[in-house]
Amino acid sequence: MRPANPCDRLIVVGGGIAGLATALHLAPLPVTLLVASPLGQHASTPLAQGGIAAALGEDDRPALHAADTLQAGAGLSDPDVATRVTGAAPSCIHWLVAQGVSFDRIGSADELLLGLEAAHSRRRIVHADGDRTGKSVLEVLIHVVRNAPSIQIMENRRVTDLALDANGAVAGVFCAPWGSNGGDEPVLVPGRAVVLATGGVGGLYAHTTNPLSARGAGLALAARAGAVLRDLEFVQFHPTAIAADRDPMPLATEALRGEGAVLVNSRGERFMQGILGAELAPRDVVARAIFAQIGAGERVFLDTRAALGEQIVSKFPGVTALCRAAGLDPVRDPIPVRPAAHYHMGGIKADSQGRSSVEGLWACGEVASTGLHGANRLASNSLLEALAYAAWIADDIRGMAHQPLMGQPPSPPSALWRGYRSGDHPSSLLWEIRSVMDRQVGVLRDATGLQQAVRHFSALTRDAHATGLRDPTLVSLMIAVAAYARKESRGSHQRLDHPGLMPEQHSEMTLDQALGIAAEIDDETAPPARRVA
Ligand SMILES: Cc1cc2nc3c(=O)[nH]c(=O)nc-3n(C[C@H](O)[C@H](O)[C@H](O)COP(=O)(O)OP(=O)(O)OC[C@H]3O[C@@H](n4cnc5c(N)ncnc54)[C@H](O)[C@@H]3O)c2cc1C
């Protein structure tokens, strides 16, 4: 099956659930899997605690799951996508079982144990090894991928640019060793199809649950290739990251609240009690309520003691271990929590087959904007989305596998963006970006703060080559621009200066458009002497 022409190679970028599932679904077509780090590390997937949503209970149906997804998405989830993905969910679980994943079951019975999470109207969260679902799933997939003859794995290879042919179609990738300090010129890996599965953006925020390497590299790659990006302003903040001086912050999964754990402030008041849905209200509602408590000088705690007592140790071994590593005992004490950047609903605009707007480029997993999550993701829908689209993307690519290679030899990355450096940026500069994102592009936003953020990142973008922070600066800038442009409060995007809703609309932009808006903001808010007449 291996094609003679190396340009016929299929390239998958990313070693999380999206990348591995896509590479496996593509078998027996030959795939080169490029991963910035060793497989299993520096990805969000192994951190996933809650599980994977699928309507498998007797009282449940995919239509109910789709309705909950649309409700959480605050008017911007695509009903067709929600119907399709939730309909595929049971088969995604069966596919994982066929790969060897061992989900938690009721006693020794065959029946899957189904958990409840916020904003789900039924118990439908399938999990493995208690709250270590992501790790269990990823370990199995890594094992299968390592044994798949069709997959060539290249670890510690960071993709720095997409290679484009003369028609602007993707014709491969440039990659450099992870941690390269600029001495290594990126090497071209030609390929006829590239699937980006590079994960999210949480590492751009000072408070995050994501691996710090999750800084939107895939968005930057796609943007520089001319792809349309969608809804970048929608960043989900998980309400209950454990506030224990760790970076990234460990997570106290929503499933704890599903089991009855309550949120209290320093005075022991259960402040969610008067709010619709209480502790199981959508994430943005809970995150804002906690943020308001913190703003009022309170500390916030997740109290699992009455609901779980000692059972937290057996039912949530991952959270218990994370707490204990941070010097906390959740059996005895309430867990201190605060909101942290957790999931990016926005991403590379992808159609029903995961295709981006650039020929030869697909996007899968958190880096994609498929229309499932809208303005707010329903808990445990992201692993599911990655699994569903991995299969559809593979079908799409397989469908064109017999076509002759269209393109011409790829050109090197544009001079504008060359000069790749990754390991030599001062950490203080990265911290500056993360702090600005947290303060001004965080849970609550307003025009003044967003303008400041845009100007800040615009200035950094001009020096990005020198700082080695080209991708994080660019992606932060695009998110801030998108957040500035959305003059309403919807889902996870809350504007203090625009509390109301506008007619439902996605935001779409290319890099050129984002830079154009940034230049306008820069010009409008510059001191008079700098303004263009
Ligand atoms: C703490 C936590 C708990 C979560 N819990 C749940 C849950 O219970 N249920 C749920 O559905 N979702 C959950 N999520 C969200 C979910 O885990 C992620 O959305 C999902 O795992 C993303 O998978 P992915 O494959 O798209 O990205 P990732 O798993 O983040 O993988 C990205 C991969 O891309 C690689 N990469 C990045 N840039 C480059 C580059 N330039 N070149 C080469 N490789 C690159 C990385 O090294 C990594 O291997 C959770 C997330 C977190 C952080």
Side-chain angles (χ1 to χ4, degrees):
M1 285 302 287
R2 190 171 288 273
N5 186 344
C7 296
D8 271 354
R9 185 175 3 212
L10 309 174
I11 297 172
V12 175
V13 187
I17 191 166
L20 300 192
T22 306
L24 286 169
H25 278 294
L26 279 166
L29 294 175
V31 169
T32 298
L33 179 69
L34 289 159
V35 186
S37 56
L39 275 179
Q41 296 178 25
H42 301 293
S44 287
T45 301
L47 304 178
Q49 296 178 347
I52 306 173
L56 290 161
E58 284 194 354
D59 63 343
D60 203 2
R61 295 193 310 281
L64 294 174
H65 184 183
D68 292 345
T69 301
L70 296 179
Q71 178 72 27
L76 288 185
S77 289
D78 181 329
D80 291 340
V81 174
T83 301
R84 214 165 145 239
V85 173
T86 55
S91 64
C92 290
I93 300 297
H94 297 144
W95 182 79
L96 285 176
V97 171
Q99 304 307 308
V101 175
S102 171
F103 287 112
D104 297 337
R105 292 176 188 266
I106 298 174
S108 57
D110 210 24
E111 203 180 328
L112 287 165
L113 197 55
L114 299 175
L116 181 66
E117 286 190 347
H120 284 275
S121 59
R122 296 288 187 278
R123 294 188 85 88
R124 62 167 75 99
I125 314 302
V126 179
H127 45 88
D129 196 10
D131 56 357
R132 294 185 180 130
T133 308
K135 191 164 180 288
S136 301
V137 168
L138 198 67
E139 276 170 7
V140 168
L141 294 184
I142 289 173
H143 175 76
V144 183
V145 161
R146 286 206 191 281
N147 288 292
S150 59
I151 302 174
Q152 175 196 19
I153 306 170
M154 294 175 75
E155 290 165 273
N156 298 308
R157 289 289 179 283
R158 184 176 170 79
V159 172
T160 61
D161 278 287
L162 297 175
L164 303 179
D165 68 16
N167 300 320
V170 169
V173 300
F174 290 91
C175 66
W178 171 252
S180 160
N181 64 6
D184 300 277
E185 267 298 293
V187 173
L188 172 66
V189 181
R192 59 183 284 148
V194 174
V195 183
L196 289 178
T198 48
V201 300
L204 295 174
Y205 284 84
H207 292 95
T208 183
T209 61
N210 288 192
L212 300 186
S213 54
R215 296 191 210 131
L219 299 179
L221 294 171
R224 285 196 294 273
V228 174
L229 307 180
R230 184 165 63 179
D231 294 342
L232 293 181
E233 62 276 25
F234 292 118
V235 178
Q236 183 173 76
F237 297 88
H238 197 290
T240 57
I242 301 174
D245 227 8
R246 298 277 161 126
D247 186 20
M249 299 171 79
L251 187 69
T253 172
E254 207 137 38
L256 290 161
R257 281 175 279 137
E259 295 296 324
V262 293
L263 287 162
V264 293
N265 63 18
S266 329
R267 286 174 288 154
E269 288 165 354
R270 207 180 139 200
F271 55 88
M272 289 303 297
Q273 222 162 11
I275 297 174
L276 187 67
E279 274 81 2
L280 291 180
R283 282 186 177 170
D284 60 301
V285 175
V286 184
R288 279 198 302 281
I290 296 179
F291 204 70
Q293 291 288 322
I294 292 170
E298 293 287 343
R299 292 185 71 204
V300 173
F301 300 88
L302 182 66
D303 195 341
T304 65
R305 294 173 300 179
L308 285 161
E310 297 219 342
Q311 278 185 30
I312 190 170
V313 179
S314 55
K315 281 192 162 175
F316 296 92
V319 173
T320 306
L322 290 170
C323 284
R324 290 192 171 151
L328 303 163
D329 180 358
V331 176
R332 211 189 49 208
D333 304 312
I335 306 168
V337 292
R338 62 155 292 151
H342 183 62
Y343 184 82
H344 197 200
M345 276 74 71
I348 302 166
K349 186 183 174 193
D351 73 6
S352 58
Q353 300 305 119
R355 285 186 188 210
S356 78
S357 60
V358 173
E359 196 184 325
L361 183 67
W362 285 254
C364 189
E366 192 165 337
V367 74
S369 166
T370 63
L372 179 68
H373 307 302
N376 206 3
R377 175 187 67 125
L378 183 66
S380 287
N381 260 359
S382 44
L383 297 174
L384 167 62
E385 180 199 44
L387 289 166
Y389 274 86
W392 297 331
I393 288 170
D395 282 349
D396 195 36
I397 293 176
R398 196 173 297 110
M400 51 156 259
H402 62 279
Q403 292 168 15
L405 189 71
M406 304 274 298
Q408 344 213 331
S411 11
S414 95
L416 179 64
W417 297 108
R418 288 192 79 161
Y420 166 73
R421 309 186 334 168
S422 80
D424 55 349
H425 51 76
S427 56
S428 59
L429 195 53
L430 182 57
W431 184 251
E432 188 180 315
I433 294 175
R434 296 180 66 196
S435 304
V436 172
M437 286 297 278
D438 229 49
R439 267 199 323 273
Q440 286 161 334
V441 198
V443 176
L444 297 175
R445 305 153 178 198
D446 64 21
T448 310
L450 290 167
Q451 283 165 341
Q452 284 167 3
V454 168
R455 290 186 61 191
H456 198 110
F457 298 138
S458 293
L460 290 180
T461 307
R462 288 191 277 273
D463 297 335
H465 301 290
T467 62
L469 286 169
R470 164 185 87 143
D471 290 359
T473 321
L474 188 67
V475 176
S476 300
L477 176 68
M478 290 191 295
I479 295 174
V481 164
Y484 174 76
R486 183 172 289 278
K487 295 187 170 47
E488 64 167 342
S489 289
R490 183 184 292 281
S492 68
H493 170 79
Q494 293 293 314
R495 287 279 300 257
L496 291 170
D497 51 343
H498 292 286
L501 282 169
M502 301 275 285
E504 290 156 11
Q505 206 180 0
H506 290 284
S507 66
E508 295 188 1
M509 62 175 74
T510 60
L511 176 57
D512 284 348
Q513 287 165 336
L515 293 177
I517 300 172
E520 277 170 29
I521 294 171
D522 203 13
D523 194 40
E524 272 168 27
T525 56
R530 270 196 52 213
R531 276 188 207 149
V532 178

